[in-house]
Amino acid sequence: MNDTDQWLSADEQRSWRAFIRLHQKLVARLGADLQSHSKLSGADFEVLVALTDVPDGRVRFQDLAKEIDWEQSRLSHQIRRMIKRDLLSRKECAEDGRGAFVVITPHGRETIEAAAPKHVATVRSLVIDALSADEFAELGRLSERMLEQIDNVSK
Amino acid sequence: MNDTDQWLSADEQRSWRAFIRLHQKLVARLGADLQSHSKLSGADFEVLVALTDVPDGRVRFQDLAKEIDWEQSRLSHQIRRMIKRDLLSRKECAEDGRGAFVVITPHGRETIEAAAPKHVATVRSLVIDALSADEFAELGRLSERMLEQIDNVSK
DNA sequence: GTACATTAGTTGACACGTCATGCATCACCG
DNA sequence: CGGTGATGCATGACGTGTCAACTAATGTAC
């Protein structure tokens, strides 16, 4: 195994680091922004958005977890915390005694509707406006390709 | 404010989601991979790599924080945890009574040297191999542009 | 129906990151 | 020298994420 197998080249290194840093900064910045305007974390936001996309604002845990691609346990913890803050509520499932629905509360709906425009504007100003439409689309394509790769490469 | 200002277009939405998901999955996957092979977290890895890049494996806290672009307090917590595990040690700074050096221990060095090749191989297989060299370089350029944008847009 | 595996969701322990705060030490000015 | 602010780092509280273990209901086979 030579150096080019074992390590990244200088160019690769640079691209890779920029890519990773970008993610860290972006998530930190978007999270802080959300928090300061709406008392929501990025996680809260993602859950609430998924719930507004759904009729009755009501979903089974499993379906929600799949929709946003989260582990079951992570979702469970998150939901519990959000219920405490009256953003969500739990509803037993009649068809399956084990299951449960997550329901968005009125307060949850108000909160997400108030937060979304500002958040989207921030995403625009930080990311989309940094690139041309073509570049942004290209970024999307590359991301999708890498996502496929990750799903395909078995652990 | 019309819809195109307030929300993302369908294409933008798709690109944006892919981009965000990609990072989430990638970080999760790389972290799990590192953990299973070397008992290191992604954070451990980043710190150790920075320390191997430096003469004597010894740096001031500030410099390290700047190098890896972390908040001071985050670094402080991380270092403390790593010292407990004998990956690093602390050394008082003679020139500045407030300051301190972080030093990589022999065990830390062994660990990172054992972990790096496997980790790099994983990065290759998950990311770099999914793209052509040109595409990967393009990804790096786009990342750098967005990073600049984030740093420029004042809070 | 009883036994066993599967599935839905919960929980506790622990690592991680952020924020605000605390506390020495240093630098500088008078 | 003494005071004052800035700098370097630590710490506690808290929200978050992962892993492994757990409970309870469901499905399946006999």
Side-chain angles (χ1 to χ4, degrees):
Chain A
M1 204 187 256
N2 62 31
D3 269 14
T4 47
D5 288 331
Q6 197 161 4
W7 306 102
L8 302 182
S9 73
D11 284 349
E12 285 171 339
Q13 179 92 248
R14 179 173 169 182
S15 294
W16 173 243
R17 288 205 173 188
F19 180 69
I20 289 298
R21 287 287 151 77
L22 170 60
H23 170 62
Q24 298 181 50
K25 281 212 175 186
L26 198 50
V27 169
R29 179 68 174 268
L30 290 176
D33 191 70
L34 260 175
Q35 193 71 44
S36 69
H37 296 305
S38 19
K39 310 293 180 194
L40 291 179
S41 67
D44 299 334
F45 190 85
E46 192 159 1
V47 168
L48 290 177
V49 165
L51 277 164
T52 58
D53 282 351
V54 143
D56 306 338
R58 199 185 88 156
V59 213
R60 286 287 295 266
F61 265 74
Q62 293 293 324
D63 298 336
L64 181 52
K66 212 167 188 174
E67 172 70 20
I68 61 182
D69 201 14
W70 280 18
E71 287 190 9
Q72 231 296 311
S73 141
R74 176 182 179 187
L75 186 59
S76 187
H77 283 301
Q78 181 69 28
I79 298 296
R80 178 175 40 72
R81 291 186 297 251
M82 291 178 76
I83 288 177
K84 271 189 200 159
R85 292 156 57 209
D86 188 34
L87 296 166
L88 305 177
S89 65
R90 237 188 95 101
K91 203 166 175 307
E92 300 301 320
C93 178
E95 304 96 62
D96 187 333
R98 300 163 297 183
F101 290 104
V102 192
V103 191
I104 188 170
T105 61
H107 175 237
R109 198 174 287 275
E110 284 165 27
T111 306
I112 185 67
E113 282 172 359
K118 185 99 191 169
H119 180 65
V120 172
T122 305
V123 170
R124 274 203 183 285
S125 71
L126 290 181
V127 180
I128 302 183
D129 290 351
L131 308 178
S132 71
D134 282 351
E135 286 172 332
F136 190 64
E138 173 71 3
L139 182 69
R141 276 192 296 277
L142 297 180
S143 297
E144 284 174 358
R145 285 253 296 286
M146 289 187 272
L147 270 175
E148 274 180 48
Q149 177 84 355
I150 292 178
D151 288 334
N152 286 339
V153 174
S154 65
K155 211 169 209 167
Chain B
M1 203 187 256
N2 62 33
D3 269 15
T4 47
D5 289 329
Q6 198 162 3
W7 305 104
L8 302 183
S9 73
D11 284 349
E12 286 171 338
Q13 179 92 249
R14 180 174 169 182
S15 293
W16 174 244
R17 288 205 174 189
F19 179 69
I20 290 297
R21 286 285 153 76
L22 170 60
H23 280 295
Q24 294 177 356
K25 279 213 175 185
L26 198 51
V27 169
R29 179 67 174 267
L30 289 176
D33 191 70
L34 260 176
Q35 192 71 44
S36 70
H37 294 306
S38 17
K39 310 294 180 194
L40 292 179
S41 67
D44 299 334
F45 189 84
E46 193 160 359
V47 169
L48 290 176
V49 165
L51 276 164
T52 58
D53 282 350
V54 143
D56 306 339
R58 198 185 89 154
V59 213
R60 286 286 295 266
F61 265 74
Q62 294 294 325
D63 299 335
L64 181 52
K66 212 165 189 176
E67 170 72 19
I68 61 181
D69 200 15
W70 280 18
E71 286 190 10
Q72 201 276 320
S73 139
R74 176 182 179 187
L75 185 59
S76 187
H77 284 300
Q78 181 69 29
I79 298 296
R80 179 175 40 73
R81 290 186 296 252
M82 291 178 76
I83 288 177
K84 270 189 201 159
R85 292 155 57 209
D86 187 34
L87 295 167
L88 304 177
S89 64
R90 238 188 93 101
K91 203 165 175 308
E92 300 303 319
C93 179
E95 305 96 59
D96 187 334
R98 299 164 296 182
F101 290 104
V102 192
V103 190
I104 188 170
T105 62
H107 175 236
R109 198 174 287 275
E110 283 165 28
T111 306
I112 186 65
E113 282 173 359
K118 185 99 191 169
H119 180 66
V120 172
T122 305
V123 170
R124 275 204 181 284
S125 71
L126 291 181
V127 180
I128 303 183
D129 290 351
L131 308 179
S132 72
D134 282 350
E135 286 172 332
F136 190 65
E138 173 71 1
L139 181 70
R141 276 191 297 275
L142 297 179
S143 298
E144 284 174 358
R145 284 255 295 287
M146 289 187 272
L147 269 176
E148 274 180 47
Q149 177 85 353
I150 293 177
D151 287 335
N152 287 338
V153 175
S154 66
K155 212 169 207 166

